[in-house]
Amino acid sequence: MLLLLLLLLLCVAGASVARAAEVVERDTVEIAPASGVSVTELRVDNRLGDVTVIGHDQPGLSLTVVKRALDAETLGRLKLNLSPDPRTGIVSLGAALLPGRELRPVRAADVRIDVVIAVPRTAHVVVRSWNGRIEVSGVRAGASLFAHDAEIRVTDVAGAVATGLTRGRQRLTGVTGAVVADSAYGEVALDGVTGESLVASVHEGTIIATRIHARVVKLRTTFGDISFTGELFAGGSCDLRAHRGRVDVVLGRATPVVLDAATRSGEIAELVRFAGAERAPGRLHASYVGAGGKSAALVVRSALGDLRVGLISE
């Protein structure tokens, strides 16, 4: 027992020494485009750390980089490659660890490059990461963001937004435009999304959608709940489907709605009773007549979960 305790103390001491010996380098670079050239798109491929992109009103880019490694030699091999294309206005940024003389590969946990980029608001943003966090805010030409095991945050963005994540949490807030958000494992939180369409899918995890105002809405989970609060366009559609999970829907406006709700083994609860509804075990067909105009189609499904549907007139 004493020997085991001694070994544990040695391991902890070794870890503390490694952390204390970490070498950190910080740089800030201002990049002005060539005369007559506008930055149309920013492409970032950083598999070694976090990426933060902030829209600003300047024509150029501002780049802040923080590199970390366990020794100066390894730190010197952490590189960023910046490639502007004056013909297209596309600026590409890639992070890499150059090969060294070590017999064993450097662990991903022992090196890191975090970047913060201020980019013209009118530039489209494309980011690929691995385990690092991705944050994008203040741009007006949309964004395409993809990562493996990470967190994706999108705030105050206009234009088409597409996100893809294998594992982790996504939060999209204040997005105006078509949105497609996919995740295999984790939570997708959508708040204040307005536009033509909203499509989100999760294999194992939840979708929480609040203050939604989109013409076409499609939310899907295999193992997980769906919670939707928002407004429907007259003539639009909202299709919410879970396989093994509960689906909660609250519509906050008096838009005429045709409801089709069904569950194979769950129950259907109505927050507001529908007049003239057709009810059967696991099935509900109903219409809600508002102030006139075309009806919106509301489809709510769960194979093995409960449904809760409410239409609240303001």
Side-chain angles (χ1 to χ4, degrees):
M1 182 67 182
L2 181 60
L3 178 59
L4 178 60
L5 179 60
L6 180 60
L7 288 173
L8 288 174
L9 288 174
L10 287 174
C11 289
V12 171
S16 299
V17 170
R19 285 194 295 269
E22 183 182 62
V23 182
V24 180
E25 179 181 284
R26 293 178 174 85
D27 291 306
T28 299
V29 180
E30 302 291 335
I31 304 166
S35 178
V37 176
S38 299
V39 178
T40 60
E41 184 170 289
L42 172 68
R43 299 178 181 176
V44 182
D45 190 338
N46 181 14
R47 312 300 171 95
L48 299 176
D50 298 341
V51 177
T52 301
V53 180
I54 304 169
H56 68 178
D57 296 322
Q58 303 301 316
L61 280 72
S62 177
L63 178 63
T64 300
V65 182
V66 179
K67 301 179 184 179
R68 292 181 172 87
L70 295 183
D71 56 75
E73 190 275 334
T74 305
L75 186 74
R77 293 191 283 119
L78 288 173
K79 299 296 182 182
L80 282 176
N81 181 33
L82 181 67
S83 302
D85 187 341
R87 297 170 302 172
T88 61
I90 297 174
V91 178
S92 300
L93 181 69
L97 174 64
L98 301 182
R101 298 180 179 179
E102 63 271 357
L103 297 178
R104 296 179 180 179
V106 177
R107 296 191 312 157
D110 292 338
V111 293
R112 188 173 186 88
I113 302 179
D114 297 324
V115 295
V116 178
I117 310 164
V119 65
R121 296 187 190 278
T122 54
H124 180 65
V125 175
V126 180
V127 179
R128 294 187 180 276
S129 180
W130 188 248
N131 293 335
R133 184 177 65 251
I134 300 176
E135 296 189 37
V136 177
S137 63
V139 297
R140 300 292 177 259
S144 301
L145 314 173
F146 306 96
H148 173 60
D149 189 350
E151 181 178 3
I152 294 177
R153 297 181 185 178
V154 180
T155 307
D156 183 26
V157 169
V161 173
T163 63
L165 188 59
T166 303
R167 183 181 300 274
R169 188 171 188 267
Q170 298 191 50
R171 182 169 184 83
L172 283 67
T173 305
V175 178
T176 303
V179 172
V180 178
D182 291 325
S183 185
Y185 301 93
E187 178 186 280
V188 175
L190 308 158
D191 181 59
V193 176
T194 302
E196 182 63 26
S197 62
L198 168 61
V199 179
S201 63
V202 178
H203 173 65
E204 186 173 327
T206 61
I207 297 177
I208 302 173
T210 55
R211 299 190 302 149
I212 306 301
H213 191 198
R215 183 173 299 278
V216 177
V217 177
K218 293 182 180 180
L219 307 182
R220 302 283 189 271
T221 63
T222 305
F223 303 99
D225 299 336
I226 298 174
S227 176
F228 177 90
T229 304
E231 302 175 0
L232 300 185
F233 278 97
S237 64
C238 183
D239 192 327
L240 314 176
R241 298 173 187 255
H243 176 69
R244 185 185 294 273
R246 186 182 69 251
V247 182
D248 293 339
V249 186
V250 176
L251 302 181
R253 191 175 181 182
T255 300
V257 173
V258 176
L259 170 67
D260 179 9
T263 175
R264 194 168 69 209
S265 60
E267 297 181 353
I268 301 176
E270 300 170 55
L271 299 182
V272 175
R273 297 289 290 182
F274 296 94
E278 298 178 5
R279 298 177 179 85
R283 197 89 187 188
L284 172 63
H285 289 277
S287 297
Y288 177 83
V289 180
K294 295 182 179 180
S295 297
L298 175 60
V299 177
V300 185
R301 295 280 191 275
S302 180
L304 305 175
D306 296 334
L307 309 179
R308 187 174 66 170
V309 182
L311 301 173
I312 301 176
S313 176
E314 295 179 347

